[in-house]
Amino acid sequence: MDIINVKGNTFCIDTGMSYIPFYKLNKKEIIMLDTGWKKGEREGIEEVLEKNNFKVAAILNSHAHIDHIGNNSYLKEKYNCVIAMSAYEAHICSSAVNLKLYYQSQTLKDVKEHYGHMVCKTDIMIEEDQESITLCGADFKIIHTPGHSPAHICIITPDDAAYLGDCLISYEVMEGAKMPYAYILSEDMKSKAKLYDLNCSKYVVAHKGIYDNIKKLIDDNMDFYESRAMRIYEVIDGSMTMEDIMKVVIKSFNIRVTNAYRYAFIQRMLTSYVEYLYEIEKLKLIMDNGFLKYTK
Ligand SMILES: [Zn+2]
């Protein structure tokens, strides 16, 4: 894994899969903005930290997804660092029972087994109306961008470099993504539009890119998510249950569903698109012989 200098004391670790930014407080101490996956990234991240003699003084998370908080509790234990994130996201990952709010279709036993490592204790909760946070003497600005996750935030470092987390995705990811995830797509679209107002000198997208200007990337992201929603709309024929829609989408998008986790994952992604189509009144909900169905 390489380290890239974004600007001034703002750097990021290129894990291959994502960019994990960090802010250098001094020669030794850093604040990590997210901590990556446990599976496939922990070893590499640890190696980078050790090789550079870094000590993690704090972790500031964009949101509580598995690929962003995967090493929170591990690093907290190792470096005795503080963790800060949005209060609502902090509650979600505060226990396995709360994580089940997100992994609704999986049993608590499964959640514990597969996602238990995500459970961590957040020391500093960022409130909904909070616009900045000071960690170890460094001031970070907070932009609230809910939608991709319930209380996703973008973080601007003291170097005026903005970490956008998963609020935007890169062109590379757009090329490969069949249905990029959003918890509430309509809110996510509003948050993407909110980024037009930013005027930072650098922007870091978690999956993954560094940009000087993001105006076109915002346009293209919004068009991309909208076009995915419309592709789903196009395969809906007559009146269909969510399962019916899932069946045609899997076929038409050529998605491989090999196990129950993958099924639950695809279901979570699809639901937000179908809900979006319902919210923008492209779809109607009807009751048909006791079944809830979507129709145009
Ligand atoms: Zn995410």
Side-chain angles (χ1 to χ4, degrees):
M1 289 183 186
D2 294 322
I3 288 178
I4 301 168
N5 183 220
V6 179
K7 193 196 169 198
N9 293 317
T10 306
F11 297 81
C12 62
I13 302 172
D14 180 2
T15 72
M17 287 186 267
S18 50
Y19 282 161
I20 301 177
F22 64 88
Y23 182 76
K24 234 173 136 176
L25 291 162
N26 50 53
K27 252 187 134 175
K28 205 172 153 60
E29 289 177 303
I30 64 165
I31 296 176
M32 286 182 77
L33 309 185
D34 290 342
T35 60
W37 285 96
K38 174 188 177 191
K39 203 175 161 193
E41 290 189 336
R42 180 175 293 175
E43 273 178 31
I45 293 166
E46 270 202 297
E47 210 178 283
V48 169
L49 297 178
E50 275 163 25
K51 208 166 74 190
N52 289 279
N53 241 331
F54 288 151
K55 180 186 180 292
V56 181
I59 294 165
L60 175 55
N61 290 111
S62 61
H63 64 301
H65 281 168
I66 191 165
D67 53 338
H68 292 260
I69 61 162
N71 296 305
N72 270 29
S73 63
Y74 180 81
L75 293 172
K76 184 177 175 58
E77 175 129 331
K78 183 168 176 181
Y79 294 102
N80 193 26
C81 59
V82 294
I83 296 177
M85 73 174 96
S86 305
Y88 190 77
E89 304 273 331
H91 289 309
I92 292 177
C93 62
S94 65
S95 72
V97 169
N98 281 11
L99 270 178
K100 199 179 176 319
L101 280 168
Y102 176 68
Y103 296 109
Q104 270 171 19
S105 60
Q106 280 142 287
T107 65
L108 182 60
K109 185 171 172 276
D110 276 348
V111 170
K112 279 182 182 164
E113 199 176 313
H114 292 268
Y115 312 110
H117 68 280
M118 290 168 69
V119 174
C120 65
K121 189 188 165 292
T122 300
D123 305 278
I124 304 163
M125 307 268 191
I126 298 168
E127 300 301 330
E128 271 176 80
D129 54 355
Q130 196 174 327
E131 289 177 351
S132 65
I133 185 170
T134 303
L135 287 171
C136 313
D139 298 326
F140 296 85
K141 285 189 199 129
I142 306 292
I143 314 291
H144 294 271
T145 45
H148 172 76
S149 69
H152 183 285
I153 55 167
C154 296
I155 301 154
I156 303 174
T157 74
D159 295 309
D160 196 38
Y163 173 46
L164 306 178
D166 287 352
C167 195
L168 294 181
I169 53 175
S170 70
Y171 289 101
E172 203 186 333
V173 171
M174 276 190 257
E175 254 165 53
K178 290 177 176 167
M179 267 194 293
Y181 177 75
Y183 175 61
I184 304 171
L185 186 53
S186 53
E187 289 299 303
D188 185 43
M189 290 293 220
K190 283 186 216 159
S191 288
K192 290 184 199 311
K194 202 174 169 183
L195 300 180
Y196 284 122
D197 297 337
L198 290 185
N199 196 11
C200 298
S201 34
K202 291 280 177 190
Y203 301 90
V204 181
V205 168
H207 313 284
K208 94 178 176 175
I210 299 170
Y211 305 85
D212 292 328
N213 187 306
I214 49 165
K215 298 269 190 285
K216 188 168 171 353
L217 186 66
I218 300 169
D219 286 344
D220 293 338
N221 261 258
M222 289 171 77
D223 288 349
F224 182 73
Y225 280 73
E226 187 73 40
S227 75
R228 293 290 112 163
M230 289 320 293
R231 260 192 74 182
I232 291 163
Y233 178 73
E234 277 156 24
V235 297
I236 297 173
D237 189 21
S239 51
M240 291 178 146
T241 63
M242 190 62 98
E243 285 242 298
D244 294 333
I245 299 173
M246 178 106 168
K247 214 182 279 175
V248 291
V249 166
I250 284 172
K251 196 159 175 245
S252 131
F253 282 60
N254 199 16
I255 297 169
R256 268 164 40 89
V257 186
T258 43
N259 57 47
Y261 300 101
R262 187 91 186 125
Y263 185 90
F265 178 61
I266 305 294
Q267 197 179 39
R268 276 201 300 279
M269 292 199 288
L270 178 66
T271 302
S272 71
Y273 286 92
V274 174
E275 285 176 354
Y276 175 69
L277 290 167
Y278 175 67
E279 278 189 320
I280 61 168
E281 296 180 357
K282 282 280 210 185
L283 290 179
K284 288 194 289 272
L285 261 178
I286 54 160
M287 288 305 298
D288 180 9
N289 274 323
F291 281 96
L292 194 59
K293 290 187 175 175
Y294 292 88
T295 183
K296 288 180 183 174

